[in-house]
Coordinates of all heavy atoms in Angstrom, one line a residue:
M683 N 28.5 59.2 73.3 CA 29.7 58.7 73.4 C 30.5 59.3 74.6 O 30.3 60.4 74.9 CB 30.6 59.1 72.2 CG 31.5 57.9 71.6 SD 30.9 56.3 71.7 CE 32.2 55.5 70.6
V684 N 31.2 58.5 75.3 CA 32.1 58.9 76.4 C 33.6 58.8 75.9 O 33.9 57.7 75.4 CB 32.0 58.1 77.7 CG1 32.8 58.7 78.8 CG2 30.5 58.1 78.0
I685 N 34.3 59.9 76.1 CA 35.7 59.9 75.6 C 36.6 60.2 76.9 O 36.5 61.3 77.4 CB 36.0 60.9 74.5 CG1 35.1 60.5 73.3 CG2 37.4 60.8 74.1 CD1 35.1 61.5 72.2
V686 N 37.4 59.2 77.2 CA 38.4 59.3 78.3 C 39.7 59.4 77.7 O 40.2 58.5 76.9 CB 38.2 58.2 79.3 CG1 39.1 58.4 80.5 CG2 36.8 58.0 79.7
T687 N 40.6 60.3 78.2 CA 42.0 60.3 77.8 C 42.9 60.2 78.9 O 42.6 60.7 80.0 CB 42.3 61.5 76.9 OG1 42.3 62.6 77.8 CG2 41.4 61.7 75.7
L688 N 44.1 59.6 78.7 CA 45.1 59.6 79.7 C 46.5 59.9 79.1 O 46.9 59.2 78.0 CB 45.2 58.2 80.3 CG 46.4 57.9 81.2 CD1 46.4 58.6 82.5 CD2 46.5 56.4 81.5
Q689 N 47.2 60.9 79.6 CA 48.5 61.2 79.1 C 49.6 60.4 79.9 O 50.1 60.9 80.8 CB 48.8 62.7 79.2 CG 49.9 63.2 78.2 CD 50.0 64.8 78.3 OE1 49.2 65.4 78.9 NE2 51.1 65.2 77.8
R690 N 49.7 59.2 79.4 CA 50.3 58.3 80.3 C 51.8 58.5 80.7 O 52.2 58.2 81.8 CB 50.3 56.9 79.6 CG 50.6 55.7 80.4 CD 50.3 54.4 79.9 NE 50.5 53.3 81.0 CZ 51.7 52.8 81.1 NH1 52.7 53.1 80.4 NH2 51.7 52.0 82.1
D691 N 52.5 59.2 79.8 CA 54.0 59.4 80.2 C 54.1 60.2 81.4 O 55.1 60.1 82.1 CB 54.6 60.2 79.0 CG 54.6 59.4 77.7 OD1 54.3 58.2 77.8 OD2 54.9 59.9 76.7
K692 N 53.2 61.1 81.7 CA 53.3 61.9 82.9 C 52.8 61.4 84.2 O 52.8 62.0 85.3 CB 52.6 63.2 82.7 CG 53.3 64.0 81.6 CD 52.6 65.4 81.3 CE 53.3 66.2 80.2 NZ 52.6 67.4 80.0
C693 N 52.3 60.1 84.2 CA 51.7 59.5 85.3 C 52.9 59.3 86.5 O 53.9 58.8 86.2 CB 51.1 58.2 84.9 SG 50.5 57.1 86.3
I694 N 52.4 59.6 87.7 CA 53.4 59.4 88.8 C 53.0 58.1 89.6 O 53.7 57.9 90.7 CB 53.4 60.6 89.7 CG1 52.1 60.9 90.2 CG2 54.0 61.8 88.9 CD1 52.1 62.0 91.3
G695 N 52.1 57.4 89.2 CA 51.8 56.0 89.7 C 51.2 56.2 91.1 O 51.4 55.3 92.0
C696 N 50.4 57.1 91.3 CA 49.8 57.3 92.8 C 48.6 56.4 93.0 O 48.2 56.2 94.2 CB 49.4 58.7 93.0 SG 47.9 59.2 92.0
N697 N 48.0 55.8 92.0 CA 46.9 54.8 92.1 C 45.6 55.4 92.4 O 44.6 54.7 92.5 CB 47.3 53.8 93.3 CG 46.5 52.5 93.2 OD1 46.5 51.9 92.2 ND2 45.8 52.1 94.3
Y698 N 45.4 56.8 92.5 CA 44.1 57.4 92.8 C 43.1 57.0 91.7 O 42.0 56.7 92.0 CB 44.3 58.9 92.9 CG 45.0 59.2 94.1 CD1 45.4 60.6 94.3 CD2 45.1 58.5 95.2 CE1 46.1 61.1 95.4 CE2 45.8 58.9 96.4 CZ 46.3 60.2 96.4 OH 47.0 60.7 97.6
C699 N 43.5 57.1 90.5 CA 42.6 56.8 89.4 C 42.0 55.4 89.5 O 40.8 55.2 89.2 CB 43.1 57.0 88.0 SG 44.7 56.1 87.7
V700 N 42.8 54.5 89.9 CA 42.3 53.0 90.0 C 41.4 52.9 91.2 O 40.3 52.3 91.1 CB 43.6 52.1 90.3 CG1 43.2 50.7 90.4 CG2 44.5 52.2 89.2
E701 N 41.6 53.7 92.2 CA 40.7 53.7 93.4 C 39.3 54.3 93.0 O 38.2 53.8 93.5 CB 41.3 54.4 94.6 CG 42.4 53.7 95.2 CD 43.0 54.6 96.4 OE1 42.3 55.3 96.9 OE2 44.2 54.4 96.6
M702 N 39.4 55.3 92.2 CA 38.1 56.0 91.8 C 37.4 55.3 90.7 O 36.1 55.2 90.7 CB 38.4 57.4 91.3 CG 39.1 58.2 92.3 SD 37.9 58.5 93.8 CE 39.0 59.2 95.0
A703 N 38.1 54.7 89.7 CA 37.5 54.1 88.5 C 38.1 52.8 88.3 O 38.8 52.6 87.3 CB 37.5 55.0 87.3
P704 N 38.0 51.7 89.1 CA 38.6 50.5 88.9 C 38.3 49.7 87.7 O 39.0 48.9 87.2 CB 38.3 49.6 90.1 CG 37.2 50.3 90.7 CD 37.2 51.8 90.3
S705 N 37.2 50.1 87.1 CA 36.8 49.4 85.9 C 37.5 49.9 84.6 O 37.5 49.3 83.6 CB 35.2 49.4 85.6 OG 34.5 48.9 86.7
Q706 N 38.1 51.2 84.8 CA 38.7 51.8 83.6 C 40.2 51.8 83.8 O 40.9 51.9 82.8 CB 38.1 53.3 83.4 CG 36.9 53.4 82.6 CD 35.7 52.7 83.3 OE1 35.4 53.0 84.4 NE2 35.1 51.6 82.7
F707 N 40.7 51.9 85.0 CA 42.1 52.1 85.2 C 42.7 50.9 86.0 O 42.1 50.4 86.8 CB 42.4 53.4 86.0 CG 42.1 54.6 85.2 CD1 40.8 55.2 85.3 CD2 42.9 55.2 84.3 CE1 40.4 56.3 84.7 CE2 42.6 56.3 83.6 CZ 41.3 56.9 83.8
Q708 N 43.9 50.6 85.6 CA 44.6 49.6 86.3 C 46.2 50.0 86.4 O 46.6 50.6 85.5 CB 44.6 48.3 85.6 CG 44.1 47.0 86.4 CD 43.9 45.8 85.5 OE1 44.7 45.5 84.6 NE2 42.7 45.3 85.6
M709 N 46.9 49.6 87.4 CA 48.3 49.9 87.5 C 49.1 48.8 86.8 O 48.8 47.7 86.8 CB 48.8 50.0 88.9 CG 48.1 51.1 89.8 SD 48.1 52.7 89.0 CE 49.8 53.2 89.1
S710 N 50.0 49.3 86.0 CA 50.9 48.4 85.2 C 51.9 47.8 86.2 O 52.6 48.6 86.9 CB 51.6 49.1 84.1 OG 52.7 48.3 83.7
K711 N 52.1 46.4 86.2 CA 53.1 45.9 87.0 C 54.5 46.1 86.4 O 55.5 46.0 87.1 CB 52.8 44.4 87.2 CG 51.7 44.1 88.1 CD 51.6 42.6 88.6 CE 50.5 42.4 89.5 NZ 49.3 42.1 88.8
K712 N 54.5 46.4 85.1 CA 55.8 46.6 84.5 C 56.5 47.9 84.8 O 57.6 48.0 85.2 CB 55.5 46.5 82.9 CG 55.5 45.2 82.3 CD 55.5 45.2 80.8 CE 55.2 43.8 80.2 NZ 54.7 44.0 78.9
D713 N 55.7 49.0 84.6 CA 56.4 50.3 84.8 C 55.6 51.1 86.0 O 56.1 52.3 86.2 CB 56.4 51.1 83.6 CG 55.0 51.4 83.0 OD1 54.0 51.3 83.7 OD2 55.0 51.9 81.8
G714 N 54.7 50.6 86.6 CA 54.1 51.3 87.8 C 53.2 52.5 87.4 O 52.9 53.3 88.3
K715 N 52.9 52.6 86.1 CA 51.9 53.7 85.7 C 50.6 53.2 85.4 O 50.4 51.9 85.3 CB 52.5 54.3 84.4 CG 53.9 55.1 84.7 CD 54.4 55.7 83.3 CE 55.7 56.2 83.4 NZ 55.7 57.7 83.6
S716 N 49.7 54.1 85.4 CA 48.3 53.7 85.1 C 48.1 53.3 83.7 O 48.7 53.9 82.8 CB 47.4 54.9 85.4 OG 46.1 54.6 85.1
V717 N 47.2 52.3 83.6 CA 46.8 51.9 82.2 C 45.3 52.2 82.1 O 44.5 51.9 82.9 CB 47.0 50.4 82.1 CG1 46.4 49.9 80.7 CG2 48.5 50.0 82.2
L718 N 44.9 52.8 81.0 CA 43.5 53.1 80.7 C 43.0 51.9 79.8 O 43.5 51.7 78.8 CB 43.3 54.4 80.0 CG 42.0 54.8 79.5 CD1 40.9 54.8 80.6 CD2 42.1 56.1 78.7
L719 N 42.2 51.1 80.5 CA 41.9 49.8 79.8 C 41.1 50.0 78.5 O 40.3 51.0 78.4 CB 41.0 49.0 80.8 CG 41.7 48.6 82.2 CD1 40.7 48.0 83.1 CD2 42.9 47.8 82.0
K720 N 41.3 49.2 77.6 CA 40.6 49.2 76.3 C 40.8 50.5 75.5 O 40.0 51.0 74.7 CB 39.1 49.0 76.4 CG 38.7 47.7 77.0 CD 37.3 47.5 77.0 CE 36.9 46.3 77.8 NZ 35.5 46.3 78.3
S721 N 41.9 51.2 75.8 CA 42.3 52.4 75.1 C 43.2 52.3 74.0 O 43.9 51.2 73.8 CB 42.9 53.5 76.1 OG 44.1 53.0 76.5
T722 N 43.3 53.2 73.0 CA 44.2 53.1 72.0 C 45.3 54.3 72.2 O 44.9 55.4 72.8 CB 43.6 53.3 70.6 OG1 42.8 54.5 70.6 CG2 42.7 52.1 70.3
N723 N 46.5 54.0 71.8 CA 47.6 55.0 72.1 C 47.9 55.8 70.8 O 48.2 55.2 69.8 CB 48.8 54.2 72.6 CG 50.0 55.2 72.8 OD1 49.9 56.4 72.9 ND2 51.2 54.5 73.1
N724 N 47.8 57.1 70.9 CA 48.3 57.9 69.8 C 49.3 58.9 70.4 O 48.8 59.9 70.9 CB 47.1 58.6 69.1 CG 47.5 59.4 67.9 OD1 48.6 59.4 67.5 ND2 46.5 60.1 67.3
K725 N 50.5 58.7 70.1 CA 51.6 59.6 70.5 C 51.6 59.9 72.1 O 51.6 61.1 72.4 CB 51.7 60.8 69.7 CG 52.0 60.6 68.3 CD 51.9 61.8 67.4 CE 52.1 61.5 65.9 NZ 51.6 62.6 65.0
G726 N 51.3 58.9 72.8 CA 51.3 59.1 74.3 C 50.0 59.5 74.9 O 49.8 59.5 76.1
F727 N 48.9 59.8 74.0 CA 47.7 60.1 74.5 C 46.8 58.7 74.3 O 46.5 58.3 73.2 CB 47.0 61.2 73.8 CG 47.5 62.5 74.2 CD1 48.7 63.1 73.6 CD2 46.8 63.3 75.2 CE1 49.2 64.3 74.1 CE2 47.3 64.4 75.6 CZ 48.5 65.0 75.1
H728 N 46.5 58.2 75.4 CA 45.7 57.0 75.4 C 44.1 57.4 75.5 O 43.8 58.1 76.4 CB 46.0 56.1 76.6 CG 47.5 55.7 76.5 ND1 47.8 54.3 76.3 CD2 48.7 56.3 76.6 CE1 49.1 54.2 76.2 NE2 49.6 55.4 76.3
T729 N 43.4 56.9 74.5 CA 41.9 57.3 74.4 C 41.1 56.1 74.5 O 41.3 55.1 73.8 CB 41.8 58.1 73.2 OG1 42.6 59.2 73.1 CG2 40.3 58.5 73.0
L730 N 40.0 56.2 75.3 CA 39.0 55.2 75.4 C 37.7 55.8 74.9 O 37.3 56.9 75.4 CB 38.9 54.7 76.8 CG 37.5 54.0 77.2 CD1 37.4 52.7 76.5 CD2 37.4 53.9 78.7
K731 N 37.1 55.2 73.9 CA 35.8 55.7 73.5 C 34.7 54.6 73.9 O 34.9 53.5 73.6 CB 35.7 55.9 72.0 CG 36.6 57.0 71.6 CD 36.6 57.3 70.1 CE 37.4 58.4 69.7 NZ 37.7 58.6 68.3
S732 N 33.7 55.0 74.6 CA 32.7 54.0 75.1 C 31.3 54.6 74.9 O 31.1 55.9 75.1 CB 33.0 53.8 76.6 OG 32.1 53.0 77.1
S733 N 30.4 53.8 74.7 CA 29.0 54.2 74.6 C 28.3 54.0 76.0 O 27.1 54.3 76.1 CB 28.2 53.3 73.5 OG 28.4 52.0 73.8
D734 N 29.1 53.5 76.9 CA 28.4 53.3 78.3 C 28.6 54.5 79.2 O 29.7 54.8 79.7 CB 29.2 52.1 78.9 CG 28.7 51.8 80.3 OD1 27.8 52.4 80.8 OD2 29.3 50.9 80.9
H735 N 27.6 55.3 79.3 CA 27.6 56.5 80.0 C 27.7 56.4 81.5 O 27.9 57.3 82.3 CB 26.5 57.4 79.6 CG 26.6 58.0 78.3 ND1 27.0 59.3 78.0 CD2 26.5 57.5 77.0 CE1 27.1 59.6 76.7 NE2 26.8 58.5 76.1
T736 N 27.5 55.1 81.9 CA 27.6 54.8 83.5 C 29.0 55.1 83.9 O 29.3 55.1 85.1 CB 27.1 53.5 83.8 OG1 27.9 52.5 83.2 CG2 25.6 53.3 83.4
I737 N 29.9 55.1 83.1 CA 31.3 55.1 83.5 C 31.8 56.6 83.8 O 32.8 56.9 84.4 CB 32.4 54.5 82.4 CG1 32.5 55.4 81.2 CG2 32.0 53.1 82.2 CD1 33.6 55.0 80.3
V738 N 31.0 57.6 83.3 CA 31.4 59.0 83.5 C 31.6 59.4 84.9 O 32.6 60.1 85.2 CB 30.2 59.9 82.8 CG1 30.5 61.3 83.2 CG2 30.3 59.7 81.3
E739 N 30.7 59.0 85.8 CA 30.9 59.5 87.2 C 32.1 59.1 87.9 O 32.8 59.9 88.3 CB 29.6 58.9 88.0 CG 29.4 59.6 89.3 CD 28.1 59.1 90.0 OE1 27.1 58.7 89.3 OE2 28.1 59.2 91.2
N740 N 32.4 57.9 87.7 CA 33.8 57.4 88.3 C 34.9 58.0 87.5 O 35.9 58.3 88.2 CB 33.8 55.9 88.2 CG 32.9 55.2 89.2 OD1 32.4 55.9 90.1 ND2 32.9 54.0 89.3
C741 N 34.8 58.2 86.2 CA 35.9 58.7 85.5 C 36.2 60.2 85.9 O 37.3 60.7 86.0 CB 35.7 58.6 84.0 SG 36.0 56.9 83.4
E742 N 35.1 60.9 86.2 CA 35.2 62.3 86.7 C 35.9 62.3 88.1 O 36.7 63.2 88.3 CB 33.8 63.0 86.7 CG 33.4 63.4 85.2 CD 32.1 64.0 85.1 OE1 31.3 63.9 86.1 OE2 31.7 64.7 84.1
L743 N 35.5 61.4 88.9 CA 36.2 61.3 90.1 C 37.8 61.2 89.9 O 38.6 61.8 90.6 CB 35.7 60.3 91.0 CG 34.3 60.5 91.5 CD1 33.7 59.1 92.2 CD2 34.1 61.7 92.5
A744 N 38.1 60.4 89.0 CA 39.5 60.1 88.6 C 40.1 61.3 88.1 O 41.3 61.7 88.6 CB 39.7 58.9 87.7
V745 N 39.4 62.0 87.3 CA 39.9 63.3 86.8 C 40.3 64.3 87.9 O 41.4 64.9 88.0 CB 38.9 64.0 85.8 CG1 39.4 65.4 85.5 CG2 38.7 63.2 84.5
K746 N 39.3 64.3 88.9 CA 39.6 65.3 90.0 C 40.7 64.8 90.9 O 41.5 65.6 91.6 CB 38.3 65.4 90.8 CG 37.3 66.3 90.1 CD 36.0 66.6 91.0 CE 34.9 67.2 90.2 NZ 33.7 66.5 90.6
A747 N 40.8 63.5 91.1 CA 41.8 62.9 92.0 C 43.3 63.0 91.5 O 44.2 63.0 92.2 CB 41.4 61.5 92.4
C748 N 43.4 63.0 90.2 CA 44.7 62.8 89.6 C 45.5 64.0 89.9 O 45.2 65.2 89.4 CB 44.6 62.7 88.1 SG 46.3 62.5 87.3
P749 N 46.6 63.9 90.7 CA 47.4 65.2 91.1 C 48.2 65.8 90.0 O 48.5 67.0 90.2 CB 48.4 64.6 92.2 CG 48.5 63.1 92.0 CD 47.1 62.7 91.2
V750 N 48.4 65.1 88.8 CA 49.1 65.7 87.8 C 48.2 66.1 86.6 O 48.7 66.4 85.5 CB 50.4 64.9 87.3 CG1 51.4 64.9 88.5 CG2 49.9 63.5 87.1
H751 N 46.9 66.0 86.8 CA 45.9 66.5 85.8 C 46.2 65.9 84.4 O 46.3 66.6 83.4 CB 45.9 68.0 85.8 CG 45.8 68.5 87.1 ND1 44.7 68.4 87.9 CD2 46.6 69.3 87.9 CE1 44.8 69.0 89.1 NE2 46.0 69.6 89.1
I752 N 46.3 64.6 84.3 CA 46.6 63.9 82.9 C 45.5 63.1 82.5 O 45.5 62.4 81.4 CB 47.8 63.1 83.0 CG1 47.8 62.1 84.1 CG2 49.1 64.0 83.1 CD1 49.0 61.1 84.0
I753 N 44.2 63.2 83.2 CA 43.1 62.5 82.7 C 42.0 63.5 82.3 O 41.8 64.5 83.0 CB 42.5 61.6 83.8 CG1 43.6 60.6 84.3 CG2 41.3 60.7 83.4 CD1 43.2 59.9 85.7
T754 N 41.2 63.1 81.2 CA 40.1 64.0 80.8 C 38.9 63.1 80.5 O 39.2 61.9 80.1 CB 40.3 64.8 79.6 OG1 40.6 64.0 78.4 CG2 41.6 65.7 79.8
V755 N 37.9 63.5 80.7 CA 36.7 62.8 80.3 C 35.6 63.8 79.7 O 35.5 64.9 80.2 CB 36.0 62.0 81.4 CG1 35.6 62.9 82.8 CG2 34.7 61.2 81.0
K756 N 35.0 63.4 78.6 CA 34.0 64.2 78.0 C 32.8 63.4 77.3 O 33.2 62.3 76.9 CB 34.5 65.3 77.1 CG 34.8 64.9 75.7 CD 35.3 66.1 74.9 CE 35.8 65.6 73.5 NZ 36.7 66.4 72.8
E757 N 31.7 63.9 77.4 CA 30.5 63.2 76.8 C 30.1 63.9 75.5 O 30.0 65.1 75.5 CB 29.4 63.2 77.8 CG 29.5 62.2 78.9 CD 28.3 62.2 79.7 OE1 28.1 63.1 80.6 OE2 27.5 61.2 79.6
T758 N 29.9 63.2 74.5 CA 29.5 63.9 73.2 C 28.1 63.4 72.9 O 27.7 62.3 73.4 CB 30.4 63.5 72.1 OG1 30.5 62.0 72.0 CG2 31.8 64.1 72.4
Ligands
SF4_1770 S1 45.7 59.4 89.4 FE1 47.0 60.3 87.7 S2 49.1 60.2 88.4 FE2 47.9 58.9 89.8 S3 48.1 56.8 88.9 FE3 46.3 57.7 87.9 S4 46.9 58.7 86.1 FE4 48.8 58.4 87.3

């Protein structure tokens, strides 16, 4: 399993995560913050669980690129 999280409230809308992992992240036209696609929201922590391990590489690039460090990715 691959688990990606986004602490969305703290997003500053820089778009880097979308550039690194466009299949997982998209910018919201409503509030200009990043959206973690297919995630569920639990008190501001948006979590995506996926069995597709091919997403890890790009998501790790997004983790590194995010200037406010609000993305995590882990494999279980
Ligand atoms: S890289 Fe971080 S701050 Fe920038 S848009 Fe993505 S989640 Fe928001």
Side-chain angles (χ1 to χ4, degrees):
M683 220 40 171
V684 181
I685 300 170
V686 186
T687 69
L688 168 68
Q689 200 179 346
R690 190 167 191 272
D691 295 349
K692 295 185 177 174
C693 176
I694 59 169
C696 71
N697 200 54
Y698 289 163
C699 55
V700 179
E701 286 177 31
M702 298 300 169
S705 302
Q706 274 66 55
F707 294 93
Q708 231 171 49
M709 298 309 292
S710 164
K711 288 197 175 83
K712 276 190 195 158
D713 62 9
K715 292 177 188 258
S716 174
V717 175
L718 177 57
L719 301 172
K720 296 182 189 160
S721 64
T722 53
N723 180 11
N724 184 3
K725 296 177 184 160
F727 282 86
H728 296 250
T729 303
L730 162 68
K731 290 181 181 167
S732 172
S733 55
D734 179 4
H735 287 254
T736 65
I737 71 171
V738 169
E739 199 174 327
N740 284 356
C741 287
E742 281 178 345
L743 291 176
V745 169
K746 285 190 192 132
C748 180
V750 287
H751 310 293
I752 55 173
I753 303 170
T754 67
V755 57
K756 81 177 173 197
E757 283 184 286
T758 58

